[in-house]
Amino acid sequence: MKHDHKPAENAQSELLSAFMDDSLGHKQAQDAGEHILKTPALQAQWNEWHLIGDVIRSRGLAHMRPIADRVRDRLADEPVHLPFGATAKVSTDHHRRDRFRAVYAGAVAAAIAFVALIAVAPQMQSPNPSVLATGPVARPVSPAQLADPRLHELLDTHGAMAVRPVSDVK
Amino acid sequence: MMRAVGVFLAGLLLASGASAQMAGASAEAMIFRIHEAAKTAVFSGTYVHAHDSHLHASRIYQIREGKSAITKIQAVEGRPQEIIRTESGTRIYFPQRQVVKFDQTPSVRTGFPSVFVGDPAGVMRHYDVSFGGIVRIADVDALEVNLRPRDDLRWPVRLWVDKKTNLVMKCQTLDFQGKVIEQVAFSDFSATPREASFVTTPTYAGAKDWPVRDASMQSVRPMPALKYKADTLKGFDLVGVYQRPSATPEMPFSLRRYVFTDGLATVSVFVQTRLAEGPLNAEVHRHGATSMLARKIQDAWVTVMGEVPPETLRQFALFLEWKTSP
């Protein structure tokens, strides 16, 4: 198996994992938290791990198997985060390490799926299919229509998400 | 390994339980804080508004004078323009024509970073509110707030709110597939106020001597009713009716606007004479998150637009009724 993770990236992921596992000391956890907030790559990874639940809730039970598969595949690509107390002997045996990685990834993926099922099951029992409906596709307003002062005035009056250039006075 | 998994699972369970609690009272409190912050916070920054192929940047400055806010917005690209909004009205300065447009119509919606309209409690009736993680936006730590509609009559919305000031740093309107169809976000932000003289005074030399054109609409009380099929716009309340007087006796007004809102999205119904027929037709068009169409009803030209899905607007407009009364 290829081991092509850069050492710096491994260290960052291990830090994030340790932080999430609550296996850091108080001062270390404080420093790690600040470091995570200042590091966009770590923030993105943090958000992705925390958003797994949201994705499952928004996509419905039927999508949980692909989610679990994606999580397992993603975890399989992550460097092995040896649990507290594990010995260095495991890290030197590539075959055992690969099996450990697969078991660890599969267990965590299944755990995520199981917890999401328990946490969100009541909400999933009556999904509203119409919320997922595409609806008719509307034609975009053309530049010529937008340039028409009669429509521009009404758009100005209606307002918008943000104030945008207002039509000139006559 | 099992200890690590156990701790991770416990964290997830705690997070889901905490989420359920936050979806209650604290979500409503957060919505209220966001609404208040937009009205009272002091700040300056640049925001970018994007939808379809449009991208537009503006500078914004807000200060407080007593209990009310004064806001100045400058277009930083395209045609120069400056807006100064106070409690007494909004002035829009056009330096190329050296003219000022003045509008005293009560503001229903003031625009980013204000996102809620009217009573924010209405939002809780029609959207499920949930919280996400913290991300950095415009060098500010912002909490993700998701507003998922409880039906398919309205778009989902996602906000990121400054943890310190409760101001919206970024706002996205999504379609039902989760694709962003319109968004506004600060690209730079400061909670340090600009000098009051800068915010309250137009930037352009001689602007105080420019002619002023009044574009105000009068509020109509009591609000005249509009006949439509109620379940096509369920959850939207009529919050205001405004009109401009007419120059002819045939029509009591030249333009009348009915405003509906669910606390987040607004729908406007504009009624004009048929002579005012504009470029839209009965087919729904879209501009970012805003759907719009127009149709003749009896002797009137009626334009309907709102930040709602096209089908919502189409159904609502289909069952609108109108008859001009003297």
Side-chain angles (χ1 to χ4, degrees), chain A residues 20-23 37-38 43 46-47 49 51 54 57-59 83-84 100 103-104 107-108 111-112 115 118-119 123-124 128 130-142 144-146 148 150-151 153-170, chain B residues 1 4-5 7-9 12-13 16 47 49 51 54 56 73 79 81 83 85 92 94 97 99 101 109-112 133-136 152 171-173 176-177 182-184 213 217 244 255 257 266 268 270 272 276-280 283-287 292 303 305-307 310-311:
Chain A
M20 288 178 71
D21 283 352
D22 195 25
S23 55
L37 278 176
K38 288 176 186 166
Q43 277 181 47
W46 171 278
N47 289 335
W49 288 356
L51 279 171
D54 282 339
R57 278 189 289 277
S58 65
R59 298 284 171 86
F84 183 76
F100 174 86
V103 169
Y104 177 70
V108 174
I112 290 172
V115 170
I118 297 301
Q123 301 167 35
M124 291 294 116
N128 184 353
S130 65
V131 176
L132 304 176
T134 305
V137 176
R139 187 195 298 265
V141 178
S142 70
Q145 287 170 317
L146 280 176
D148 190 311
R150 293 168 295 183
L151 177 59
E153 185 196 1
L154 298 186
L155 281 168
D156 289 345
T157 305
H158 173 71
M161 195 185 217
V163 176
R164 53 181 168 213
V166 175
S167 57
D168 210 334
V169 287
K170 295 187 179 66
Chain B
M1 181 184 79
V5 169
V7 170
F8 185 55
L9 283 178
L12 274 180
L13 281 170
S16 69
Y47 65 79
H49 183 191
H51 65 84
H54 298 263
H56 188 263
I73 301 167
R79 196 174 59 209
Q81 196 176 100
I83 298 168
R85 191 167 55 224
I92 305 162
F94 299 94
R97 293 194 57 216
V99 69
K101 185 173 174 180
R109 178 198 184 102
T110 52
F112 185 83
I134 307 280
V135 295
R136 202 149 183 82
D152 55 3
C171 175
Q172 291 179 335
T173 303
F176 295 131
Q177 284 69 51
E182 186 162 355
Q183 67 178 322
V184 193
R213 303 283 187 260
M217 298 176 79
R244 286 201 192 108
L255 174 70
R257 177 190 178 204
T266 56
S268 293
F270 294 99
Q272 297 167 284
E277 182 174 339
L280 292 178
E283 180 188 357
V284 184
H285 286 68
R286 199 159 67 75
H287 187 54
M292 61 190 82
T303 306
M305 58 178 64
E307 304 82 46
E311 185 58 18

Side-chain angles (χ1 to χ4, degrees), chain A residues 8-118:
Chain A
E9 284 177 3
N10 282 358
Q12 299 267 44
S13 290
E14 282 174 15
L15 175 69
L16 183 60
S17 190
F19 182 73
M20 288 178 71
D21 283 352
D22 195 25
S23 55
L24 295 174
H26 176 72
K27 180 71 172 63
Q28 281 180 306
Q30 265 191 320
D31 293 342
E34 285 178 15
H35 179 63
I36 290 164
L37 278 176
K38 288 176 186 166
T39 309
L42 285 178
Q43 277 181 47
Q45 194 167 2
W46 171 278
N47 289 335
E48 185 177 340
W49 288 356
H50 280 80
L51 279 171
I52 285 170
D54 282 339
V55 168
I56 292 171
R57 278 189 289 277
S58 65
R59 298 284 171 86
L61 280 174
H63 294 261
M64 281 175 55
R65 179 174 285 282
I67 294 290
D69 289 345
R70 280 169 45 197
V71 170
R72 183 174 48 246
D73 291 345
R74 176 61 189 266
L75 286 172
D77 290 338
E78 291 293 312
V80 174
H81 302 297
L82 297 179
F84 183 76
T87 64
K89 187 171 181 300
V90 175
S91 67
T92 59
D93 182 331
H94 293 309
H95 291 298
R96 285 186 63 186
R97 184 178 176 183
D98 291 347
R99 283 204 302 276
F100 174 86
R101 185 200 306 269
V103 169
Y104 177 70
V108 174
I112 290 172
F114 176 74
V115 170
L117 169 67
I118 297 301

